[in-house]
Amino acid sequence: MISARGVRKSFGAATVLDGIDLDVHGGEVVSILGSSGSGKSTLIRCMNGLEKLDGGRITIDDFDVSRQKELTEARKRSATVFQLFNLYPHMTAVQNVALAPVEVLKTPRKQAEAEARALLDSVGLSARADAFPSQLSGGQRQRVGICRALAMKPRYLLLDEITSALDPEMTADVLGILAKLAREGTTMVFVTHEIEFARTISSRIVFLDKGQLVVDLPTAEFFAADGGLAMPRIAQFLSKMRKD
Amino acid sequence: MRYTAFTSYDIVLLAQGLGVSLALFLATTIIGLFIGSVWAVIRFYRVPVLTQLVTALAELLKNSPVLVQLFLVFFGLPAFAKFNVTPVEAAVITLSGNTAAFVFVIAVSAIESIGRDQIEAARVFGLSRWQILRRIIAPQAMAFAIGPLTGLLVNQLQVTSLISVIGVVDLTKMGNILNLRTLKPFIVWAIVGALYYVMAKLIAFAGAVLEKRLRAHTAWKGL
Ligand SMILES: Nc1ncnc2c1ncn2[C@@H]1O[C@H](COP(=O)(O)OP(=O)(O)OP(=O)(O)O)[C@@H](O)[C@H]1O
Ligand SMILES: [Mg+2]
């Protein structure tokens, strides 16, 4: 379980996360919605230990990410896919995917690379396994990014707007892979602007506004006229997103 | 002193001088590369006190004349610390330190040129700082630094000629000796200059080959 309690984070005078409480249980897909600047990325970066909390606590399977020793364990259980891929440019797709298993999980290199190839194969990249990131399209790069995360056999996937740098066709590719992972029961925290897609794969929807968690509802209730939509702030956000 | 015409033995003398210059250059390059890289790693880890120390030392070394540093080591060290140094030792200490300072500067900027986002990715996947340095930063920083390093080493080769003033019989000193004996400065210095030129070109060539290999190996279009 990923558990956030009273999480606070400020950058200088600006409070970006203002007391967030959130639980993500095994097997759930929790989508985080909210307008630009509401703190979604910051919340993900607090979960994977890239930002220090100013208050509150985040645990991943009871490992506190604020404690250096426990962070290592927490990071072994969760894996992040990044908006801008963040691949290692000097390594091929296979090497990108196999690096952390070899270095962190101490998997023998041969085995790690074989597993990397199998993963790349599963997302339709077997022919591009030995290409460098600069030789891949955006959608292909993001598929490598997903494989890199899956190679760690994480219990939790943290996904921050992983399709926002892709064109619609590539977006469909990548979302297709996520839908498959969701069906297989992968636990995901999914930050997105793809409202309709979130609706189809999520167990719950969380709405952030100005650093506060405004609602946390099962998906059907969130989109129900007497549920989330009854809240003006959410209705306004959804209608704006659908117009874009 | 009696002056005489060139003899075939002068070729041996010049080769000796050349050998001394080359040996000094190679030794100080290896030591300088090692020390400069260690300093850069110290800075990468932000080791308290040591980081400030090496940064200040590099600043001092690269902003003062090598000749002054050489005098400081050769004449100053014995006077200050009662620690005698031979001319060759003084030359090795000074040139290694000078090379290290510039290697440090190049290495630091090469490390800083690596995009933060890939380093964040590596951290999130649980790689240690050392693993990140070794697997992510070093290979890319190397490809980035090889050009400036080649330029530096071509320059450091010329700088070795300064050590002739404290009596190391390098190529320049040998030129000086031949010049006094033959009184044919134009010929002597033209030959000595040409020898430095050929060595510099060889260094530049080796650097270019290495750069090509480093980049071709990754088929990576760079920064
Ligand atoms: N490193 C930082 N330094 C200063 N301010 C920051 C930093 N990172 C984020 N912020 C600020 O924190 C706020 C929340 O940013 P965050 O990236 O979490 O928003 P977001 O919900 O992910 O937005 P978007 O939908 O545009 O990605 C913004 O106002 C942003 O400017
Ligand atoms: Mg964001």
Side-chain angles (χ1 to χ4, degrees):
Chain A
M1 180 171 86
I2 300 180
S3 169
R5 283 291 170 277
V7 170
R8 282 192 300 105
K9 175 72 193 172
S10 320
F11 292 108
T15 301
V16 174
L17 295 177
D18 192 3
I20 302 284
D21 295 313
L22 177 66
D23 284 337
V24 180
H25 300 272
E28 280 188 314
V29 176
V30 174
S31 287
I32 301 181
L33 307 184
S35 44
S36 185
S38 56
K40 307 180 295 294
S41 297
T42 306
L43 181 56
I44 294 279
R45 290 172 61 83
C46 286
M47 285 177 173
N48 61 25
L50 284 176
E51 300 287 356
K52 277 208 180 80
L53 309 191
D54 293 322
R57 204 166 118 89
I58 293 180
T59 56
I60 296 184
D61 288 347
D62 293 329
F63 292 103
D64 188 333
V65 300
S66 301
R67 299 195 178 157
Q68 199 52 47
K69 284 213 179 97
E70 299 182 30
L71 177 60
T72 315
E73 276 306 311
R75 280 177 166 167
K76 277 189 197 160
R77 282 146 207 272
S78 60
T80 306
V81 182
F82 296 85
Q83 179 173 12
L84 298 174
F85 329 128
N86 299 19
L87 298 179
Y88 317 122
H90 61 303
M91 294 184 182
T92 63
V94 166
Q95 291 167 338
N96 264 276
V97 176
L99 178 69
V102 169
E103 298 284 333
V104 180
L105 304 180
K106 309 296 175 198
T107 311
R109 179 176 304 281
K110 270 218 162 106
Q111 185 191 336
E113 293 195 348
E115 286 172 8
R117 276 180 205 282
L119 275 171
L120 290 167
D121 193 25
S122 74
V123 298
L125 279 182
S126 47
R128 308 295 287 143
D130 295 303
F132 288 89
S134 60
Q135 300 165 327
L136 298 173
S137 74
Q140 291 173 334
R141 283 181 214 184
Q142 195 56 294
R143 283 185 267 165
V144 175
I146 292 172
C147 290
R148 182 174 64 171
L150 294 177
M152 294 300 281
K153 305 188 178 78
R155 297 194 183 174
Y156 311 100
L157 270 185
L158 308 178
L159 312 156
D160 186 6
E161 294 195 41
I162 67 169
T163 59
S164 65
L166 304 179
D167 68 28
E169 198 186 334
M170 293 174 179
T171 298
D173 279 0
V174 168
L175 294 184
I177 292 164
L178 289 193
K180 181 162 160 271
L181 289 172
R183 280 198 302 277
E184 291 165 2
T186 313
T187 311
M188 292 190 244
V189 181
F190 185 49
V191 172
T192 188
H193 286 144
E194 302 283 338
I195 308 285
E196 285 313 315
F197 180 73
R199 187 173 186 168
T200 62
I201 70 158
S202 309
S203 9
R204 275 158 53 212
I205 307 257
V206 163
F207 187 77
L208 281 191
D209 190 28
K210 300 197 186 82
Q212 297 191 325
L213 200 151
V214 188
V215 297
D216 178 349
L217 289 174
T219 307
E221 273 180 57
F222 182 86
F223 288 100
D226 57 351
L229 277 177
M231 300 185 69
R233 186 69 195 82
I234 293 175
Q236 184 195 355
F237 172 77
L238 289 179
S239 77
K240 181 168 166 289
M241 292 307 295
R242 290 198 167 117
K243 248 181 270 159
D244 293 343
Chain B
M1 183 166 177
R2 218 158 42 84
Y3 58 89
T4 55
F6 289 109
T7 69
S8 54
Y9 187 65
D10 294 345
I11 295 176
V12 177
L13 290 181
L14 276 174
Q16 264 174 17
L18 186 68
V20 168
S21 289
L22 250 155
L24 255 169
F25 169 74
L26 287 176
T28 58
T29 294
I30 290 166
I31 299 171
L33 278 172
F34 178 75
I35 295 177
S37 309
V38 169
W39 289 356
V41 172
I42 286 172
R43 204 188 126 115
F44 173 73
Y45 276 94
R46 300 187 197 292
V47 183
V49 187
L50 275 184
T51 302
Q52 285 78 356
L53 206 72
V54 298
T55 310
L57 189 56
E59 273 297 304
L60 276 177
L61 288 176
K62 75 189 171 72
N63 289 309
S64 62
V66 182
L67 195 56
V68 172
Q69 294 168 20
L70 188 63
F71 288 163
L72 189 64
V73 171
F74 187 57
F75 301 114
L77 222 48
F80 176 74
K82 308 270 174 288
F83 174 79
N84 269 323
V85 283
T86 66
V88 171
E89 283 164 1
V92 170
I93 292 171
T94 310
L95 295 180
S96 299
N98 194 257
T99 302
F102 285 98
V103 168
F104 171 74
V105 172
I106 292 171
V108 164
S109 73
I111 289 173
E112 281 169 1
S113 75
I114 310 304
R116 278 222 63 76
D117 56 354
Q118 23 162 335
I119 294 171
E120 286 194 338
R123 276 172 61 199
V124 162
F125 284 106
L127 273 76
S128 67
R129 231 170 143 66
W130 174 246
Q131 288 170 328
I132 291 173
L133 184 66
R134 208 163 45 86
R135 303 299 312 276
I136 310 289
I137 296 177
Q140 298 180 68
M142 218 90 93
F144 178 91
I146 185 75
L149 276 179
T150 307
L152 169 68
L153 294 186
V154 166
N155 187 62
Q156 294 304 81
L157 171 71
Q158 327 291 341
V159 170
T160 59
S161 65
L162 290 179
I163 60 175
S164 60
V165 301
I166 57 168
V168 179
V169 189
D170 71 334
L171 182 56
T172 300
K173 182 76 181 174
M174 205 56 100
N176 217 344
I177 292 168
L178 285 180
N179 180 39
L180 290 175
R181 205 197 70 214
T182 60
L183 292 181
K184 295 222 169 56
F186 187 80
I187 296 175
V188 169
W189 292 120
I191 291 172
V192 168
L195 286 171
Y196 277 109
Y197 178 86
V198 170
M199 282 197 291
K201 279 292 167 194
L202 283 175
I203 294 167
F205 176 74
V209 169
L210 201 61
E211 179 165 17
K212 210 167 174 186
R213 181 169 305 172
L214 275 176
R215 297 201 181 220
H217 175 65
T218 62
W220 158 62
K221 297 191 186 76
L223 302 145

